[in-house]
Amino acid sequence: LLKNKTDDTSIGSISFIAIASFMPGLALLLYLLLGSPGYSDMPLADRLDVPPETLPLEGLVVHLEQRLKNTPNDTEGWLMLARTRMALGEADRAEDALKTVFSLQQGEQSPDILVMLAESRLQQQDGLVDESVEQLITRALDINPQHPRGLYLRGLSHLQQGDKTAALNL
């Protein structure tokens, strides 16, 4: 770089090297002046010990999971966890929560929960209706033949099977 001082590319190279070495130093200086390098990390329990409405969605999930460890028979809590997991795109974990709800209900089946389970399986299967999803939809519609989301999923099933007329009728 220093051999040919009149070459414009070498001046550009020198300025690039100067800027590239200056930036990390500036970042370190700002961190030491404005940051808190002497403080240790805050444990998860302390970070979650705030009003729930101030937590991000992922924090609410952790908070809810901790609550369910203390009250494992809380059906509404498990349903809330399942809905939240679905909203986060974690259908497999939502399905686990829904299975817990099924076991807590001891055989009593709700069309809403059956449809939620079908939706979680659909999400895991990229929207493709298979035999297990079809069975869940059928059970939900046997309980409530006018269940809106159940009818939608039945229509989706008809559409995937190539029956557009039945799908549109639903």
Side-chain angles (χ1 to χ4, degrees):
L1 290 173
L2 298 176
K3 272 187 182 179
N4 192 353
K5 294 180 182 179
T6 59
D7 189 7
D8 289 334
T9 58
S10 65
I11 292 173
S13 298
I14 291 173
S15 60
F16 174 76
I17 291 170
I19 291 172
S21 60
F22 173 73
M23 294 304 280
L26 179 63
L28 178 63
L29 179 65
L30 285 174
Y31 176 66
L32 291 173
L33 291 175
L34 302 175
S36 303
Y39 288 108
S40 62
D41 287 340
M42 204 172 169
L44 179 61
D46 292 344
R47 285 183 277 162
L48 294 176
D49 193 23
V50 295
E53 59 272 3
T54 63
L55 291 171
L57 192 55
E58 293 82 4
L60 286 173
V61 170
V62 173
H63 194 273
L64 182 56
E65 286 174 336
Q66 287 180 344
R67 192 182 91 197
L68 288 171
K69 284 181 184 177
N70 297 332
T71 56
N73 294 333
D74 181 6
T75 305
E76 288 301 315
W78 286 106
L79 279 172
M80 189 182 309
L81 180 62
R83 287 186 193 106
T84 308
R85 291 279 186 210
M86 287 290 289
L88 290 171
E90 300 173 352
D92 55 335
R93 297 181 79 183
E95 185 172 344
D96 293 340
L98 289 169
K99 287 178 180 176
T100 303
V101 172
F102 274 124
S103 68
L104 290 173
Q105 291 181 335
Q106 300 171 349
E108 181 185 331
Q109 295 186 349
S110 158
D112 291 333
I113 296 171
L114 289 165
V115 168
M116 281 179 65
L117 186 56
E119 289 172 334
S120 74
R121 290 189 182 166
L122 275 172
Q123 197 176 77
Q124 293 175 63
Q125 298 166 179
D126 298 324
L128 298 175
V129 177
D130 68 356
E131 182 73 26
S132 69
V133 172
E134 191 66 47
Q135 289 173 354
L136 290 168
I137 296 168
T138 300
R139 285 177 24 209
L141 291 175
D142 285 346
I143 297 168
N144 179 1
Q146 299 303 313
H147 193 279
R149 287 177 21 225
L151 290 172
Y152 169 78
L153 293 177
R154 174 58 46 88
L156 178 65
S157 173
H158 284 305
L159 187 62
Q160 288 181 7
Q161 293 171 11
D163 190 356
K164 286 184 181 181
T165 305
L168 289 174
N169 286 337
L170 283 172

